[in-house]
């Protein structure tokens, strides 16, 4: 009975979360046993028995049939248990020169590599959607605000395009996390290496890692550092998307009324029959805000841990795995919603935005030869006397402005970045 209590407490959510690591665990084991055979710790015959058995396990994982049974602690033990049940003693040989500590490390690195690419794909999809919308609504003006006060003309081209470009910065962090994940910890064993002459270059090559985490202690230390890099990237994207969700809620507010979604994509109220609420973007904002606490959660979980493996590290899976799924869900939902966004035209024709054109009119006077300070005063006086009549002409042409949002250059920037995820 006490055994059961201890097991349940320490295993926690591993039986469920480790399922996401299963295919990588098999991949890591295949590389490990090929290497063991190359250094004489397994015979060719043994390897030929083990590889097809691992292949079968891999297939059962892809079919969704693989489970981590009650009484089995984690994915690593389950795979070995299946091999031993099928092959007897040969199955017990595969663990030479490794520990579950480097096994879980290698699983996580392979998993994060794929997961970061999934996040990058979803981010790029949203990026493209934003760019398309930016081009489509390039000429539709909207108010630009500073201090939440009406400031200068902006456009939907700039608004959509800005979030697209912001995602390119987030992509830099995703690539940084990818590069950190793309290093081979296998061979660090419990965290201090092994007295077997392990060929770590060979497993690095077999698993397609850019290089080994050379120092075995550094390899073990990368548990935590990798997750933190992933969390920083997730947090960055969440910050961009959360900010965008806030804008959407605001521009949908009936006092603004700049954008709309079809009724079926909004939510009603149980008491007010007229309501068309932006619940999707509110939930997105809340989820994205919460995702931004990820680096903090990890920092607090791992603060001042002693060097080497500590079981606390297991709990990082509970934090990072669902977070990454949630981020992808938010990105996909944003992409879905934006396919249906309706943008209002002629917003700035309303006289409440008259003063938004003051800078345009000051600048026009400057172009006619009036010194800037005098032009500023002239328009300022007209505003004060109530005689200001806006010209409503907007002529921004420089790089990155309303007339030239540079979407093609931003797209090139993103294309270049996406190449960083190639193995
Ligand atoms: N479930 C464990 C983890 O995620 C696997 C490694 C177990 N190692 C150990 N020494 N108990 O960390």
């Amino acid at each position: 009975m006490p055994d059961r209590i201890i097991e349940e407490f320490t295993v926690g959510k591993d039986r469920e979360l480790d399922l996401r690591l299963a295919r990588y665990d098999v991949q890591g084991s295949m590389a490990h046993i090929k290497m063991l055979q190359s250094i004489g710790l397994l015979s060719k015959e043994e390897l030929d028995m083990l590889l097809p058995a691992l292949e079968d396990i891999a297939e059962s994982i892809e079919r969704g049939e693989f489970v981590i049974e009650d009484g089995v602690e984690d994915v690593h033990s389950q795979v070995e248990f299946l091999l031993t049940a099928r092959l007897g003693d040969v199955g017990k040989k595969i663990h030479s020169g490794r520990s579950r500590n480097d096994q879980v490390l290698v699983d996580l690195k392979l998993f994060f590599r794929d997961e970061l690419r999934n996040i990058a794909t979803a981010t790029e999809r949203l990026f493209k959607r934003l760019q398309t919308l930016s081009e489509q609504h390039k000429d539709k003006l909207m108010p630009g605000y500073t201090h939440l006060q009406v400031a200068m003309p902006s456009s939907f081209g700039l608004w959509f395009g800005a979030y697209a470009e912001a995602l390119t910065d987030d992509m830099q962090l995703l690539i940084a996390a990818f590069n950190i994940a793309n290093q081979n910890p296998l061979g660090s064993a419990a965290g201090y290496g092994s007295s077997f002459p392990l060929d770590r270059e060979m497993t690095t090559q077999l698993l397609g890692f850019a290089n080994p985490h050379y120092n075995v202690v550094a390899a073990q230390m990368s548990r935590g550092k990798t997750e933190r890099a992933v969390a920083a990237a997730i947090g960055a994207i969440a910050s961009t998307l959360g900010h965008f969700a806030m804008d959407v809620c605001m521009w949908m507010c009936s006092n603004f009324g700049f954008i709309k979604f079809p009724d079926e994509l909004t939510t009603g109220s149980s008491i007010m029959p007229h309501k068309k609420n932006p619940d999707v973007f509110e939930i997105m904002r809340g989820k994205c805000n919460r995702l931004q606490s990820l680096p903090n959660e990890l920092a607090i979980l791992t603060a001042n841990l002693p060097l080497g493996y500590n079981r606390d590290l297991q709990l990082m899976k509970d934090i990072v795995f669902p977070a990454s799924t949630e981020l992808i869900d938010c990105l996909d939902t944003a992409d879905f919603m934006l396919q249906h966004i309706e943008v209002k035209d002629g917003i700035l024709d309303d006289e409440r935005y008259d003063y938004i054109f003051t800078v345009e009119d000051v600048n026009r006077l400057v172009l006619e030869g009036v010194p800037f300070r005098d032009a500023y005063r002239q328009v300022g006086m007209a505003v004060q006397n109530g005689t200001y009549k806006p010209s409503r002409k907007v002529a921004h042409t420089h790089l990155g402005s309303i007339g030239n949002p540079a979407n093609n250059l931003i797209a090139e920037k993103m294309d270049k970045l996406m190449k960083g995820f190639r193995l």
Side-chain angles (χ1 to χ4, degrees):
M1 193 62 185
D3 286 3
R4 190 88 190 145
I5 293 170
I6 302 309
E7 187 188 300
E8 284 313 310
F9 189 75
T10 53
V11 168
K13 295 198 187 128
D14 257 17
R15 278 192 201 105
E16 175 201 329
L17 293 174
D18 273 13
L19 289 179
R20 297 187 72 176
L21 298 180
R23 62 157 72 167
Y24 306 107
D25 200 75
V26 171
Q27 209 184 328
S29 288
M30 284 178 162
H32 182 67
I33 58 173
K34 285 180 191 165
M35 186 277 291
L36 288 183
Q37 191 262 324
S38 79
I39 61 169
L41 283 177
L42 281 178
S43 68
K44 181 81 181 64
E45 296 67 44
E46 286 168 332
L47 183 65
D48 289 345
M49 289 167 79
L50 286 163
L51 282 177
L54 281 168
E55 207 62 76
D56 285 351
I57 297 175
E59 278 162 25
S60 81
I61 293 166
E62 296 317 317
R63 285 196 302 270
E65 290 165 11
F66 179 86
V67 286
I68 299 170
E69 290 155 50
D70 272 353
V72 177
E73 212 182 296
D74 51 28
V75 66
H76 326 295
S77 315
Q78 180 69 36
V79 170
E80 196 175 328
F81 171 77
L82 291 175
L83 279 182
T84 311
R86 181 163 154 182
L87 303 174
D89 283 352
V90 187
K92 296 185 199 157
K93 286 192 167 186
I94 71 165
H95 210 55
S96 311
R98 81 175 177 185
S99 146
R100 280 183 304 163
N101 295 353
D102 66 338
Q103 212 178 334
V104 64
L105 262 166
V106 85
D107 293 4
L108 284 167
K109 298 250 184 197
L110 293 169
F111 167 74
F112 284 135
R113 250 183 7 185
D114 277 357
E115 194 65 359
L116 288 163
R117 286 167 137 182
N118 293 338
I119 297 174
T121 304
T123 305
E124 192 193 23
R125 197 178 307 123
L126 179 61
F127 167 86
K128 287 190 169 150
R129 176 81 50 208
L130 289 163
Q131 282 225 309
T132 305
L133 287 165
S134 171
E135 281 299 311
Q136 202 176 326
H137 301 291
K138 198 153 69 181
D139 301 322
K140 291 187 188 145
L141 297 180
M142 73 189 299
Y145 298 83
T146 67
H147 311 266
L148 203 48
Q149 302 289 318
V150 168
M152 283 191 53
S154 182
S155 68
F156 282 98
L158 281 184
W159 180 55
F160 288 119
Y163 282 96
E165 187 168 9
L167 289 175
T168 66
D169 289 346
D170 303 334
M171 199 56 90
Q172 306 258 22
L173 292 180
L174 270 186
I175 290 171
F178 181 82
N179 288 335
I180 292 172
N182 194 18
Q183 305 182 82
N184 185 17
L186 196 58
S188 59
Y192 300 93
S194 161
S195 54
F196 294 124
L198 304 176
D199 185 346
R200 299 193 60 215
E201 297 286 2
M202 178 177 172
T203 55
T204 300
Q205 215 214 334
L206 286 172
L207 294 168
F209 284 113
N211 50 268
H213 251 304
Y214 293 103
N215 179 312
V216 288
V217 178
Q220 177 55 51
M221 279 171 89
S222 76
R223 183 133 189 226
K225 281 186 90 68
T226 311
E227 284 85 344
R228 283 209 210 186
V230 173
I234 290 178
I237 297 170
S239 144
T240 305
L241 190 53
H243 201 168
F244 181 75
M246 172 61 206
D247 287 358
V248 170
C249 292
M250 185 117 109
W251 306 153
M252 265 179 86
C253 158
S254 40
N255 290 38
F256 290 87
F258 298 167
I259 55 175
K260 271 202 321 207
F261 288 90
D263 286 358
E264 63 273 21
L265 301 189
T266 63
T267 42
S269 150
S270 57
I271 179 170
M272 299 164 284
H274 65 284
K275 292 288 259 168
K276 308 265 181 266
N277 292 328
D279 291 29
V280 170
F281 288 96
E282 289 171 323
I283 295 288
M284 195 180 294
R285 181 175 58 193
K287 287 189 171 194
C288 286
N289 281 345
R290 222 170 45 186
L291 285 171
Q292 287 174 73
S293 70
L294 211 61
N296 247 334
E297 269 188 79
L298 292 178
I300 289 166
L301 172 63
T302 57
N304 302 333
L305 283 188
L307 187 64
Y309 177 85
N310 300 280
R311 190 73 182 267
D312 322 39
L313 296 173
Q314 173 179 304
L315 297 175
M316 286 191 295
K317 291 187 284 198
D318 301 27
I319 300 174
V320 182
F321 285 17
S324 133
T325 307
E326 187 147 295
L327 179 70
I328 293 175
D329 190 32
C330 286
L331 288 163
D332 289 348
T333 305
D335 181 55
F336 168 75
M337 293 298 284
L338 287 177
Q339 290 171 44
H340 304 282
I341 193 169
E342 295 164 33
V343 170
K344 190 172 169 189
D345 206 357
I347 295 172
L348 297 190
D349 295 341
D350 191 313
E351 63 181 22
R352 84 180 78 193
Y353 301 116
D354 278 2
Y355 296 143
I356 216 165
F357 298 97
T358 56
V359 181
E360 311 304 305
D361 290 326
V362 168
N363 288 359
R364 208 176 18 267
L365 287 172
V366 169
L367 287 174
E368 286 163 12
V370 184
F372 177 79
R373 291 289 173 208
D374 295 341
Y376 178 94
R377 203 172 31 234
Q378 204 173 310
V379 174
M381 291 300 281
V383 168
Q384 217 167 352
N385 304 334
T387 56
Y388 173 72
K389 287 270 168 300
S391 61
R392 298 207 135 69
K393 283 204 189 85
V394 176
H396 296 206
T397 56
H398 69 74
L399 183 64
S401 67
I402 296 173
N404 180 12
N407 285 326
N408 50 344
L409 297 175
I410 296 168
E412 271 177 33
K413 194 156 74 159
M414 191 57 130
D415 276 351
K416 246 186 247 161
L417 286 166
M418 289 304 289
K419 298 200 171 88
F421 292 100
R422 286 199 192 139
L423 289 178

